[in-house]
Amino acid sequence: QVQLVESGGGLVQPGGSLRLSCAASGISFSMYAMGWYRQAPGKEREWVARMSSGGITNYADSVKGRFTISRDNAKNTVYLQMNSLKHEDTAVYYCNAQRFKNYWGKGTLVTVPP
C-alpha cells in the first residue's frame, strides 16, 4: 500500500521560512520523480516543484529562487524548503510521486497572513 505523508506545515509570518517533508512508503522511492503541488482556497491545484529520480529539479516561476526541493533516498523522503514566504503562498501543499502512476499525499496546510 502506497502512502505519502506530508508534514511541516503551519502558520508563518511573511518573509519567514518553513520546510515541508513527505515520507513515502510502499514504493521504490529512488525510482520515482517526486513533486510538490499546492492548492490555494478557491483555486485549482498547481504544480510547485519537481525532482526527477536522477536529481534534476524544476520549479514554477512563482517560487523559483525562494523554494528548494530535495530528496533523501535513504529515508524515502522529499523536502520542500520554502523561504521568503508570501501571503500568496498560502495553500494546502501536496506531495506527489510519479513513475508509471501518480500517487498523492493528503496535504499539509501552509498559512502566511497578509
Side-chain angles (χ1 to χ4, degrees):
Q1 181 181 1
V2 178
Q3 280 194 312
L4 301 177
V5 180
E6 302 96 336
S7 61
L11 174 66
V12 60
Q13 294 300 311
S17 298
L18 278 178
R19 188 176 82 153
L20 306 183
S21 300
C22 170
S25 59
I27 59 173
S28 297
F29 181 81
S30 64
M31 302 181 76
Y32 278 71
M34 299 300 297
W36 289 93
Y37 289 70
R38 67 186 181 186
Q39 188 166 17
K43 296 187 177 181
E44 294 189 350
R45 190 174 298 189
E46 65 173 359
W47 168 72
V48 173
R50 180 183 186 272
M51 177 175 271
S52 71
S53 58
I56 296 172
T57 58
N58 298 95
Y59 298 92
D61 287 344
S62 58
V63 307
K64 202 171 292 183
R66 300 188 298 122
F67 290 11
T68 303
I69 188 171
S70 61
R71 64 192 295 163
D72 185 338
N73 289 339
K75 295 182 178 180
N76 287 0
T77 301
V78 62
Y79 305 96
L80 186 68
Q81 177 67 43
M82 306 186 295
N83 298 330
S84 302
L85 282 160
K86 306 174 182 179
H87 173 58
E88 48 265 43
D89 296 316
T90 295
V92 177
Y93 283 72
Y94 296 91
C95 177
N96 170 263
Q98 181 186 43
R99 194 179 176 209
F100 302 117
K101 294 179 64 174
N102 267 309
Y103 297 102
W104 294 92
K106 294 184 178 181
T108 185
L109 176 63
V110 172
T111 302
V112 187

